[in-house]
């Protein structure tokens, strides 16, 4: 029997290693003997907190009352208005509801933004390390993703000078994240301003992934790039701060001329975002829900404050303390030999087998670190984080 041949485009898209590691860990867990310790998952960036009761109740109410049909491709007007009000309340920035597009998660938002802005053969600059799906989304559209190596000296964020040097005749824009996955670090405000000035001068587009902005811990960095001008494209999500990962709901903030362009694309690719999730998300902005989200943000900060020093005592360096999100970017270089590993991929695999702790190797996020770094997700219960440290201490000695 002859089977269809996958497209060249599809074959260029690499696996999402975070999910591959999770599959390997789950398979290992399934073979554990009775009484063996359970696997501790510090690999997937998913909050252990779920949607608050008021949001769950709103979803149930939407189903009971039949509000389950298509919404406009741009999303519910009420939700776009609620987000507009939240930008004014939380960030002190005026964002017209007309510039907000509700999407099927931030992933769909990134796809729509990329399709609206760039053509096959164009080139986009991204930092190394960065969230791998950003690169793969561009690749799947025939857009080149050129990564710019970063270091701890610039908080693992690109500088305007680096981007200027990397810009070519094919470059059409810059995509970055603040706070970033995998490092949990934000770009310096003046550097972000310089990046935007460069992009404007070059006639490109700046896309900023702000899905972790609500989980900022430092007021120096907890600012939206939208404050710099209405030509910035911001990608955001209800997954992280709002704890609605599986609901698949996000949004874009766009320059007004791009809104009808994205609307056409959304109509054809997605029709609309999940209707029940949209109705439920309206309750995210109730006072009780917002208070709960702030308690959770404090909990993530407390986890960071305990986990980072503990890692350092084990010889796993953390060159830059994360100022947001729920990730720790740790240098395992000094401990590779002790684990019988030559790089972080082997280190993570050994850690999985011997300490039964799962993390993600740096190969998923880029190549600039030389294969030494490991990303830990601290989006899990404090007791599990403490247990993970103890297991790593026994393993590494």
């Amino acid at each position: 029997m002859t089977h269809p041949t996958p497209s060249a485009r599809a074959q260029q898209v690499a696996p999402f290693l975070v999910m591959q590691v999770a599959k390997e860990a789950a398979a290992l867990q399934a073979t554990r003997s009775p009484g063996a310790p359970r696997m501790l998952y510090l690999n997937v960036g998913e909050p252990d907190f779920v949607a608050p009761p008021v949001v769950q109740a709103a979803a149930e109410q939407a189903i009971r009352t039949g509000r389950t049909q298509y919404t406009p491709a741009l999303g519910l007007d009420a939700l776009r208005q609620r987000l507009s009000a939240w930008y004014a309340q939380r960030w002190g920035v005026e964002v017209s509801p007309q510039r907000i597009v509700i999407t099927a998660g931030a992933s769909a938002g990134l796809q729509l933004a990329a399709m609206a802005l760039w053509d096959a053969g164009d080139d986009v600059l991204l930092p190394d390390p960065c969230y791998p799906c950003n690169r793969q989304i561009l690749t799947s559209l025939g857009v080149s993703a050129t990564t710019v190596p970063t270091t701890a000296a610039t908080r693992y964020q690109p500088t305007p000078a680096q981007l200027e040097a990397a810009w070519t005749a094919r470059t059409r824009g810059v995509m970055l994240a603040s706070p970033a996955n995998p490092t949990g670090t934000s770009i310096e405000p003046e550097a972000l301003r310089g990046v935007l000035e460069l992009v404007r001068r070059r006639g490109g587009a700046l896309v900023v992934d702000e899905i972790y902005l609500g989980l900022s811990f430092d007021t120096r960095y907890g600012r939206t790039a939208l404050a710099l001008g209405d030509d910035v494209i911001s990608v955001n999500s209800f997954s992280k701060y709002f704890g609605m990962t599986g609901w698949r709901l996000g949004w874009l903030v766009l320059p007004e001329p791009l809104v009808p362009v994205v609307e056409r694309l959304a109509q054809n690719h997605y029709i609309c975002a999940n209707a029940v999730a949209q109705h439920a998300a309206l309750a995210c902005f109730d006072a009780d829900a917002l208070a709960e989200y702030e308690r959770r943000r404090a909990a993530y900060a407390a986890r960071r404050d305990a986990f980072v020093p503990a890692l350092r005592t084990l010889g796993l360096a953390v060159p830059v303390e994360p100022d947001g999100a729920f990730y720790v970017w740790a240098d395992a270089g000094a401990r590779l030999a002790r684990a019988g590993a030559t790089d972080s991929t082997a280190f993570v695999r050994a850690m999985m087998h011997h300490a039964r702790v799962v993390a993600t190797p740096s190969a998923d996020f880029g190549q600039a670190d030389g294969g030494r770094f490991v990303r830990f997700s601290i989006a899990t219960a404090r007791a599990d984080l403490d247990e993970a440290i103890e297991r790593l201490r026994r393993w590494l000695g």
Side-chain angles (χ1 to χ4, degrees), residues 335-356:
R335 305 300 270 162
L336 292 179
R338 173 68 181 82
T342 56
D343 58 22
S344 68
T345 299
F347 182 86
V348 163
R349 189 162 283 121
M351 181 169 60
M352 193 187 311
H353 282 266
H354 298 291
R356 302 192 74 80

Side-chain angles (χ1 to χ4, degrees), residues 110-255:
L110 285 163
Q111 292 167 21
L112 290 167
M115 286 189 288
L117 292 167
W118 301 308
D119 291 312
D122 288 346
D123 184 69
V124 176
L125 303 178
L126 301 91
D128 180 347
C130 73
Y131 180 57
C133 296
N134 290 358
R135 301 193 307 272
Q136 304 306 335
I137 286 170
L138 294 175
T139 298
S140 69
L141 297 174
V143 178
S144 299
T146 296
T147 55
V148 176
T150 65
T151 66
T154 60
R155 307 181 57 77
Y156 301 110
Q157 294 281 357
T159 67
Q162 285 179 302
L163 295 171
E164 179 88 67
W167 200 287
T168 71
R170 292 176 52 235
T171 306
R172 295 293 180 269
V174 174
M175 183 184 290
L176 52 81
S178 186
N181 177 4
T183 62
T185 58
S186 300
I187 190 169
E188 291 283 355
E190 284 309 306
L192 179 59
R193 190 181 301 276
V195 172
L196 180 57
E197 290 172 355
L198 164 65
V199 169
R200 285 170 173 166
R201 188 170 69 251
R202 292 285 195 160
L206 174 61
V207 177
V208 185
D209 177 342
E210 297 191 316
I211 70 174
Y212 297 102
L213 183 61
L215 294 175
S216 292
F217 310 136
D218 188 327
T219 55
R220 173 176 175 78
Y221 304 109
R223 311 174 189 179
T224 174
L226 296 168
L228 299 179
D230 61 8
D231 53 342
V232 174
I233 293 96
S234 172
V235 182
N236 218 312
S237 173
F238 284 93
S239 290
K240 310 301 182 177
Y241 179 71
F242 297 102
M244 297 175 69
T245 50
W247 302 64
R248 306 316 304 136
L249 194 66
W251 74 90
L252 290 169
V253 180
L254 301 165

Side-chain angles (χ1 to χ4, degrees), residues 283-307:
C284 289
F285 304 98
D286 289 2
D288 288 348
L290 289 173
E292 176 60 23
Y293 296 136
E294 285 303 290
R295 284 190 290 270
R296 295 175 181 186
R297 182 167 68 96
Y300 289 130
R303 293 174 187 180
R304 175 203 61 177
D305 293 344
F307 193 75

Side-chain angles (χ1 to χ4, degrees), residues 48-59:
D48 55 324
F49 300 116
V50 298
V54 66
V55 177
Q56 296 180 39

